[in-house]
Amino acid sequence: MKWEVEIIFNTMTHKSKKNLCKVYGVDFYRDFKKRSKKFLEDMLQDVPCIGKSVFSLCYNYGPCYFAWYKALREQNICKEEALKLIWQINEDYVKSFKKPILHWFGKNVYLGGFRRKAAESEKRGKEGTLHPFDWRIEYKDIDKNTFAINVYECGMLKLAKKFGFMEMFPEVCRMDYLFSHYFGNSFKRTGTLADGNNCCDCWYQFPGECEWKLEQGPGNRK
């Protein structure tokens, strides 16, 4: 798991260079990179490995988000701006790929992976055999293009509680809208566990549309 997280972190940190240098300067970016890398290295020693979960990719992003956020806050960036910069890092990364590649990934990996593995994940949750830091879900197959997932336990939230980053939520949850926008799928949700709901009620459809405008922040999204 460690090398997978490090690849994600290094690639996305590099993609953030242009915008961070433009707004804050080269010295700021270098400090950000150095601080966040050290935070990540320290954190990864204590991040549990959840194995071959359908949510492994999502889980791997958690330590990256936390390391970036901690670095930004120590560089005197306020909470709201730090979260917005993390959204920007994600957007810079996904925009570096051509649209056909993003749509292929959305259909076959992002959503396709859920459809292939979600039923087994739901079964393991009911049997109580999931890793303690995995997601516990209920999967609903609606039609060939549409499905829904109710999330009753979230691995990202568990990591946030373990390392003390709960103040980043529920804003981090809104990242689903950004990815859905670029992957070419529709996404709807009325709320999340971090909002105080009893579950994250996620609805997906491919192909589809999902509006995303970074400058609006999370807005009324849940």
Side-chain angles (χ1 to χ4, degrees), residues 159-189:
L159 274 182
K161 289 176 183 177
K162 176 179 175 65
F163 291 104
F165 289 96
M166 284 300 294
E167 70 178 64
M168 296 178 66
F169 293 81
E171 285 84 357
V172 167
C173 306
R174 313 317 186 217
M175 214 77 72
D176 291 319
Y177 292 91
L178 184 157
F179 288 118
S180 293
H181 171 77
Y182 285 102
F183 290 158
N185 65 268
S186 296
F187 177 77
K188 297 177 183 178
R189 184 171 59 203

Side-chain angles (χ1 to χ4, degrees), residues 9-43:
F9 174 84
N10 290 330
T11 303
M12 295 181 70
T13 301
H14 177 72
K15 294 294 183 183
S16 74
K17 180 177 180 179
K18 181 178 180 180
N19 277 323
L20 286 179
C21 288
K22 180 179 178 180
V23 177
Y24 296 101
V26 174
D27 289 342
F28 178 94
Y29 171 76
R30 289 174 177 168
D31 187 35
F32 166 72
K33 182 179 178 180
K34 181 179 179 180
R35 286 175 185 265
S36 57
K37 185 175 183 178
K38 180 63 167 61
F39 294 149
L40 183 73
E41 289 174 350
D42 292 343
M43 197 184 316

Side-chain angles (χ1 to χ4, degrees), residues 1-2 4-13 32 36-37 39-40 43-44 47 57-71 86 89-90 156 159 165 168:
M1 173 200 162
K2 182 179 178 181
E4 296 171 321
V5 176
E6 289 175 339
I7 288 175
I8 292 170
F9 174 84
N10 290 330
T11 303
M12 295 181 70
T13 301
F32 166 72
S36 57
K37 185 175 183 178
F39 294 149
L40 183 73
M43 197 184 316
L44 284 178
V47 173
L57 181 60
C58 299
Y59 187 77
N60 288 341
Y61 276 82
C64 302
Y65 291 166
F66 303 157
W68 291 327
Y69 183 78
K70 186 171 182 179
I86 292 171
I89 291 171
N90 278 274
M156 188 82 80
L159 274 182
F165 289 96
M168 296 178 66

